[in-house]
Amino acid sequence: MKLITLSIIPMFLLVLSILIFSLVGCSPPDPSGTPKSFTPKKLLHEVYSDHFIIGAAVASSEYGSMDYFDKKYPNLLPHYNSLTAENAMKPEVIQPLKGSFNFAPADRIVKYAAANDQKIRGHALVWHNQTSSWMTEGTKEDVRENMKNHIETVMNRYKDSIYSWDVVNEAVSDQGSYRADSPWYVAYGGPEYIIDAFKFAKEVDPECKLVYNDYSVVRPSKRYDIMTMIKKLELQKHGLSGIGIQAHWNLYYPELEELQRTIDLFHQMGLEVHITELDIDCFDGIGNTENRKFDNDLAKRLADRYEEIFELFRKNSDKISSVTFWGIADDHTWLDYFYNSTWNAGKKLKNYPFVFDEDHRAKEAYKRITEF
Ligand code: XIL
């Protein structure tokens, strides 16, 4: 008798829950099931019009394929009131050979943005990566001249369109102090190239918001090194007006408290904060070799994370001028190939870092950052 009662109760509960779920017209939640997606109802930048600019990085041609961003994301591009070239304005793309400029991919983005009333954040003028070697070869004077010509030519071309430039990218080392193996640092024999970059940029366009951009800015030791560099080199005197926090983050890093402290510290220095390359790695980044599907559980964790991050951003609207995602939808993210080639050679590790999914539909994360 006891046995029968025991087996009847769970059976009864199961039938009851199936009945309830079928009455309300949905199936029981399954943490490993496929997450729901939505047709977005509001434009991101309209939701944030009282807070900050909302941008996205776009790839005008993805390494050889003519897969243009405007053909690919016609419905999602209107969500952003700022665009950034994911690669098209980097030195190796825009001036691959000395004096020979390849403006077509960047022009395409600028033209699209102008036609659609979008601003542009330029990325990036001086960097140790994606820069042809000729630029940093020769005497210090040669290299200085190369930098000056590059900055003048590129900035002048887009002077009317670009409201903010990442003038120097990633000049601080993860190990502390300057990135001494940057070819710019080597050619100059020190960090003065950073001062020159801001000086040249300021001469071309004193109205433009000139930014120092880096990753791991929220990490206390690197943040300290960046702040020290800015003070020591007196970069604000030479035109620096903002800090670019790249924001290649994940479900755990950074802690909100540390993020808040970072925003406050740079704000206290008189700098505008730009969130320049936001994506949320759904895995724990380095070292994770496990491939996971984007299931209900992950969708919820990503949504929770986006919700708390944007809540903090909104609270700091007076300090933050722009928030740019490093891509648009999950079908194109540098995380897929960067991690695969760098840390997970040979392994396919698909990531899902955005608020729009691979089919360009809105994810739960989109809801959480638009309904508050
Ligand atoms: C990445 C692009 O997304 C990739 O397409 C490219 O192959 C490598 O660079 N920090 C930066 C960005 O400042 O320029 C990088 O973009 C990502 C890290």
Side-chain angles (χ1 to χ4, degrees):
M1 179 62 190
K2 209 171 174 191
L3 209 77
I4 293 175
T5 321
L6 275 180
S7 58
I8 281 178
I9 292 172
M11 186 71 115
F12 172 72
L13 288 176
L14 182 73
V15 172
L16 188 71
S17 62
I18 291 175
L19 204 71
I20 292 172
F21 278 116
S22 56
L23 275 180
V24 293
C26 62
S27 40
D30 168 9
S32 62
T34 312
K36 281 210 183 63
S37 58
F38 316 88
T39 304
K41 291 212 176 67
K42 309 168 192 161
L43 295 179
L44 282 177
H45 82 84
E46 283 180 6
V47 174
Y48 282 90
S49 60
D50 289 338
H51 299 275
F52 30 73
I53 289 167
I54 294 277
V58 292
S60 59
S61 75
E62 289 159 19
Y63 288 98
S65 85
M66 298 302 274
D67 198 4
Y68 285 111
F69 69 99
D70 47 350
K71 302 267 184 301
K72 199 167 171 182
Y73 301 105
N75 301 326
L76 296 186
L77 284 163
H79 283 274
Y80 308 92
N81 53 355
S82 170
L83 299 181
T84 295
E86 184 178 355
N87 290 297
M89 292 188 189
K90 288 176 181 172
E92 77 171 1
V93 179
I94 214 161
Q95 196 184 178
L97 301 167
K98 193 176 171 105
S100 151
F101 288 85
N102 167 35
F103 288 123
D107 284 357
R108 192 176 172 98
I109 296 172
V110 172
K111 200 171 151 203
Y112 180 90
N116 292 282
D117 217 10
Q118 289 157 314
K119 292 173 180 288
I120 305 224
R121 281 205 79 250
H123 174 83
L125 294 167
V126 174
W127 191 21
H128 65 283
N129 265 339
Q130 292 184 271
T131 300
S132 310
S133 54
W134 67 262
M135 236 187 221
T136 49
E137 280 165 4
T139 64
K140 181 179 167 185
E141 269 321 298
D142 296 336
V143 174
R144 190 170 189 270
E145 229 10 67
N146 290 342
M147 182 199 278
K148 189 167 189 281
N149 284 336
H150 183 75
I151 291 181
E152 281 176 356
T153 314
V154 177
M155 278 188 79
N156 270 321
R157 183 172 184 97
Y158 301 120
K159 203 169 166 179
D160 298 333
S161 323
I162 296 191
Y163 80 99
S164 171
W165 262 108
D166 291 333
V167 177
V168 176
N169 199 28
E170 304 178 350
V172 169
S173 147
D174 293 331
Q175 281 72 44
S177 194
Y178 298 106
R179 188 184 288 276
D181 58 359
S182 157
W184 292 105
Y185 188 101
V186 173
Y188 265 70
E192 290 73 30
Y193 77 93
I194 303 168
I195 303 179
D196 273 350
F198 281 98
K199 264 193 195 161
F200 298 147
K202 188 182 172 187
E203 273 164 25
V204 177
D205 188 357
E207 299 307 316
C208 188
K209 290 174 189 297
L210 306 179
V211 168
Y212 173 76
N213 190 50
D214 212 331
Y215 60 88
S216 296
V217 180
V218 181
R219 242 186 45 221
S221 61
K222 190 153 174 185
R223 178 177 70 209
Y224 175 81
D225 289 336
I226 293 171
M227 290 169 63
T228 308
M229 169 190 75
I230 293 173
K231 288 178 200 155
K232 258 200 179 152
L233 303 182
E234 300 185 290
L235 295 183
Q236 285 163 279
K237 214 172 82 186
H238 299 297
L240 175 82
S241 71
I243 178 76
I245 299 178
Q246 287 189 5
H248 296 295
W249 295 338
N250 63 40
L251 295 172
Y252 321 98
Y253 166 87
E255 284 174 14
L256 295 184
E257 218 176 276
E258 217 52 80
L259 175 58
Q260 183 61 59
R261 191 166 302 137
T262 306
I263 293 171
D264 289 339
L265 284 169
F266 284 106
H267 179 73
Q268 281 155 23
M269 288 176 76
L271 292 170
E272 282 186 10
V273 176
H274 297 258
I275 305 293
T276 54
E277 305 182 15
L278 178 62
D279 47 24
I280 307 291
D281 181 347
C282 282
F283 310 100
D284 58 0
I286 305 170
N288 190 326
T289 53
E290 221 171 283
N291 205 8
R292 259 190 83 175
K293 266 180 45 208
F294 190 70
D295 54 20
N296 270 322
D297 174 51
L298 204 49
K300 185 182 173 305
R301 289 166 65 197
L302 182 74
D304 289 346
R305 187 68 171 137
Y306 262 109
E307 181 176 334
E308 61 180 18
I309 287 174
F310 270 76
E311 199 180 355
L312 187 146
F313 286 168
R314 287 194 302 273
K315 269 201 293 193
N316 290 281
S317 312
D318 56 327
K319 301 170 189 142
I320 297 177
S321 352
S322 66
V323 174
T324 294
F325 292 85
W326 204 240
I328 294 180
D330 290 345
D331 60 333
H332 172 81
T333 163
W334 77 300
L335 294 176
D336 285 353
Y337 49 97
F338 181 67
Y339 284 157
N340 289 340
S341 61
T342 311
W343 289 296
N344 293 318
K347 296 232 162 72
K348 187 91 192 88
L349 187 60
K350 178 82 196 96
N351 228 310
Y352 311 93
F354 300 121
V355 300
F356 297 112
D357 70 14
E358 289 173 275
D359 299 322
H360 304 181
R361 307 245 308 151
K363 292 153 76 171
E364 175 66 22
Y366 163 90
K367 272 200 165 177
R368 304 276 199 91
I369 65 168
T370 51
E371 292 170 15
F372 47 86

